[in-house]
Structures are given as structure tokens and as C-alpha cells.
Amino acid sequence: MQLEGIHHVAVICSDYQVSKAFYTEILGLKVLAENYRAMRQSYKLDLELPNGNQIELFSFPEPPERPTTPEARGLRHLAFIVESVEEYVDYLESCGVEVEPIRIDEYTGKPYTFFKDPDGLPLELYEK
């Protein structure tokens, strides 16, 4: 038996409309489904990347803040593959998203960098 890949990553946001706009309009993820779960006072937005991987964006009333960034236990960050880190950084900055300086992975020689979603979740760009 072996794992075949990652189906989705779940992200909890504090402001559903702001995060929905960030992930769909700025990052360009495709909306697969959007559901309001009245019993939980929560939205669940299923988003898809071009390779079929998904992000589930959840809203809950008053979710606790992330303890620290980026070294909290659990998920450290979410990394996206891009054709050109430099070009994607230019695009994000043109959208008003603050991006860290581009670095080179000392083991692979590939460029990468970090930026944050509206709730401060660290997101990484990693060059193909």
C-alpha cells in the first residue's frame, strides 16, 4: 500500500469574503463548490489548482489565531509550484501582496520565496 498524492489542504480563515477573493481572484484557484453549513455557521469553499489538487477554505465563528509564524507545530506552510518565481512575485506585488525576497534552495538550486494569505498563513512559491 502507498499514498498516491495529496487530495486537499484545509485552511481556516477569519474573514471568508476576504480570503475567498484572495484565493480565487489573486491566486486564481477555481471554485469547485461553495456550501454554507448553517449548523456550524461555516462556509466550506472547495478550490482547485490546475493539477487537480484542492484547497478547502473554511470559515468558523471566532477561530483562534495561529500561535506563531512559521514555526508553530503542525502545518508550517503551503507551497505552490510555479513556472517562474520571479514573474509570479511581480504579479503578486502588482496585486498589493507583500512578498519576501527570492532565495535559492541550497539543496536543489531552485528559487523560492514566501508570502502570506489574509490571515497570515505562510505560503511559498517554488520554481518548477
Side-chain angles (χ1 to χ4, degrees):
M1 300 216 81
Q2 74 180 41
L3 299 175
E4 296 182 23
I6 293 174
H7 180 268
H8 70 268
V9 173
V11 174
I12 297 172
C13 64
S14 64
D15 186 320
Y16 179 72
Q17 295 305 327
V18 168
S19 290
K20 177 182 175 183
F22 178 81
Y23 282 95
T24 61
E25 295 171 21
I26 293 177
L27 298 187
L29 276 64
K30 176 183 170 188
V31 174
L32 295 174
E34 181 175 30
N35 295 288
Y36 182 72
R37 303 169 318 159
M39 297 278 297
R40 301 180 104 184
Q41 300 177 345
S42 169
Y43 278 96
K44 178 180 182 283
L45 182 65
D46 296 322
L47 302 166
E48 184 179 48
L49 286 99
N51 69 356
N53 294 141
Q54 296 178 25
I55 293 178
E56 292 180 343
L57 183 65
F58 290 95
S59 67
F60 291 104
E62 301 178 40
E65 289 187 27
R66 184 178 169 87
T68 61
T69 179
E71 305 303 342
R73 284 187 198 160
L75 179 68
R76 180 175 183 191
H77 61 264
L78 177 58
F80 297 105
I81 292 175
V82 293
E83 192 67 38
S84 167
V85 168
E86 187 174 342
E87 288 178 17
Y88 209 91
V89 165
D90 290 344
Y91 164 72
L92 287 174
E93 290 177 339
S94 76
C95 294
V97 177
E98 188 176 318
V99 182
E100 293 181 7
I102 296 172
R103 297 179 252 173
I104 302 298
D105 185 313
E106 64 183 288
Y107 301 108
T108 66
K110 302 270 186 171
Y112 71 99
T113 191
F114 289 90
F115 63 106
K116 293 182 178 178
D117 83 351
D119 285 301
L121 175 67
L123 301 173
E124 180 180 355
L125 298 176
Y126 199 90
E127 195 158 292
K128 195 185 261 187

